[in-house]
Amino acid sequence: MLSHSSYMLTAVAALLVTCHALCKCPGIPELPSVPGLPGKDGLKGQPHLPDSLDAELHNVLVNLKHRLSRLEGVLALNGKIREVGDKILASNGKEVDFASALESCEEAGGTLATPMNEEENNAILGIVKQYNRYAYLGIKEGENSGQFKYINGAPLNYTKWHQYEPNGKGTEKCVEMYTDGSWNDKKCDLYCLTICEF
Ligand code: MAN
Ligand code: CA
């Protein structure tokens, strides 16, 4: 006979495994194994949860998804978020230096908006236009001048430089988006709009 708490733990583990199977979660690592509980393959076979609990968990997930999509609808309606692919973009409307902008995004569990393709660039541009302010992007110049990288150090796979940019030659290590969506290398201690991605 399972104790109440281990029964709940099993239920939560099952919920997480079910969620993991239902949602494609890029970037989310495999679930760690929980000592004393079957792994995700174990849960697929026997012994498994009573059908009533399985149905209940399925119901919980369906309701959570419905609730989340309604909340996203409200936020989008109010111009608080924009969704592009799997990313959610949002701004706090504040203009601060690069380090502060990045810090705000990370504190909220995200990072600075980083356009990886034209569609994402256009979604970020929508927010730049909404506030009519240039925004810092999640891109920085590396040690070699002229070599810009994502914040995680990976090389850029998409660029949208304005004509004659980047021109700072090591003196402008951050990147801002203009109100036409093009990019300019820019000093990092100026005031640009904070746009985060989650
Ligand atoms: C300013 C700065 C530079 C930019 C030029 C373009 O000097 O914003 O980063 O390259 O304008 O004229
Ligand atoms: Ca420049």
Side-chain angles (χ1 to χ4, degrees):
M1 167 77 178
L2 288 166
S3 72
H4 182 255
S5 61
S6 64
Y7 199 73
M8 284 308 292
L9 199 56
T10 310
V12 169
L15 182 64
L16 288 172
V17 169
T18 316
C19 179
H20 211 67
L22 281 178
C23 0
K24 289 201 187 86
C25 315
I28 298 183
E30 284 293 298
L31 290 164
S33 64
V34 179
L37 288 176
K40 76 170 154 44
D41 294 333
L43 278 168
K44 274 188 206 148
Q46 300 294 330
H48 84 73
L49 295 167
D51 285 351
S52 61
L53 182 56
D54 211 37
E56 174 65 20
L57 291 173
H58 177 77
N59 196 21
V60 166
L61 275 178
V62 167
N63 282 311
L64 278 173
K65 283 186 163 190
H66 183 224
R67 194 159 190 98
L68 270 179
S69 80
R70 282 183 293 151
L71 286 171
E72 286 176 339
V74 171
L75 289 170
L77 177 70
N78 290 327
K80 303 294 186 192
I81 61 167
R82 277 163 205 260
E83 299 188 75
V84 54
D86 287 337
K87 291 185 180 178
I88 297 176
L89 300 170
S91 174
N92 58 8
K94 295 188 176 157
E95 287 170 275
V96 294
D97 63 42
F98 176 87
S100 306
L102 178 58
E103 191 177 37
S104 301
C105 291
E106 288 182 342
E107 264 174 26
T111 188
L112 268 175
T114 306
M116 308 281 288
N117 54 49
E118 193 77 11
E119 191 192 9
E120 292 185 7
N121 206 71
N122 282 334
I124 297 166
L125 174 59
I127 303 180
V128 165
K129 285 182 169 166
Q130 180 181 353
Y131 289 92
N132 193 28
R133 292 287 176 263
Y134 300 167
Y136 277 126
L137 301 176
I139 295 171
K140 280 201 93 168
E141 194 171 21
E143 292 309 317
N144 300 332
S145 87
Q147 193 175 76
F148 286 81
K149 299 173 176 190
Y150 296 117
I151 284 175
N152 68 9
L156 302 185
N157 60 11
Y158 163 83
T159 61
K160 189 79 177 182
W161 295 113
H162 194 266
Q163 200 175 21
Y164 309 126
E165 305 295 347
N167 63 354
K169 300 187 179 69
T171 67
E172 299 183 309
K173 297 187 117 12
C174 289
V175 177
E176 67 184 356
M177 180 183 283
Y178 285 151
T179 45
D180 68 352
S182 66
W183 305 356
N184 172 37
D185 58 340
K186 190 81 176 175
K187 290 188 180 301
C188 301
D189 58 356
L190 300 172
Y191 295 88
C192 282
L193 181 65
T194 305
I195 303 177
C196 311
E197 65 178 39
F198 299 90

